[in-house]
Amino acid sequence: QVRLQESGGGSVKTGGSLRLSCVASGGGDSRFCMAWFRQVPGKEREGIAAIDDYTSSAYYIDAVKGRFTISQENAKSTLYLQMNSLKEEDTAVYFCAADYGRCPDNIPSRVAVNYWGQGTQVTVSS
């Protein structure tokens, strides 16, 4: 059973930065498409960035491209999301996610995700 534990959320002013971390355990030698999703009340959970365990290729939605960076360290046991130039519309609960196998040359769909973290709140205010 894969366990994902996020940390690093908080409150920040517009234009500020935060780094989210996600520690993964229990995956053994399995490889995943690792991703970050976010969700605001009343809206569907949205995939915003993903990285392929096999190739380290990274994928982003346009809304975060150039501002957010997804990366991995520690033999792929820790996933990061560096968030710069934060905007109020980035306010959401952010979730770490794991989908078995390779990324589909894009961010995996919400329904394809096999494992979720518990989420961490990010609040951006002016």
Side-chain angles (χ1 to χ4, degrees):
Q1 180 74 12
V2 173
R3 185 169 181 264
L4 304 173
Q5 181 68 49
E6 301 102 332
S7 62
S11 297
V12 65
K13 295 293 188 183
T14 303
S17 298
L18 282 174
R19 188 174 81 157
L20 305 183
S21 300
C22 171
V23 176
S25 60
D29 293 329
S30 298
R31 295 200 178 188
F32 298 90
C33 176
M34 298 298 297
W36 288 98
F37 284 67
R38 66 185 181 187
Q39 188 170 23
V40 297
K43 292 193 175 182
E44 284 194 358
R45 197 168 295 186
E46 170 190 42
I48 61 170
I51 188 164
D52 193 311
D53 264 0
Y54 289 86
T55 65
S56 296
S57 296
Y59 307 91
Y60 302 92
I61 60 169
D62 287 346
V64 307
K65 200 174 294 184
R67 299 188 299 122
F68 291 9
T69 303
I70 189 171
S71 62
Q72 292 174 304
E73 282 187 2
N74 301 328
K76 304 188 189 304
S77 64
T78 306
L79 180 73
Y80 298 102
L81 185 68
Q82 177 67 42
M83 304 186 294
N84 299 328
S85 303
L86 282 161
K87 306 175 180 180
E88 289 188 38
E89 51 264 43
D90 295 318
T91 295
V93 178
Y94 284 70
F95 296 89
C96 177
D99 176 20
Y100 274 114
R102 297 192 59 176
C103 290
D105 289 331
N106 209 329
I107 299 164
S109 68
R110 176 176 51 86
V111 298
V113 170
N114 298 109
Y115 300 101
W116 293 100
Q118 84 289 349
T120 185
Q121 176 71 45
V122 172
T123 303
V124 185
S125 59
S126 59

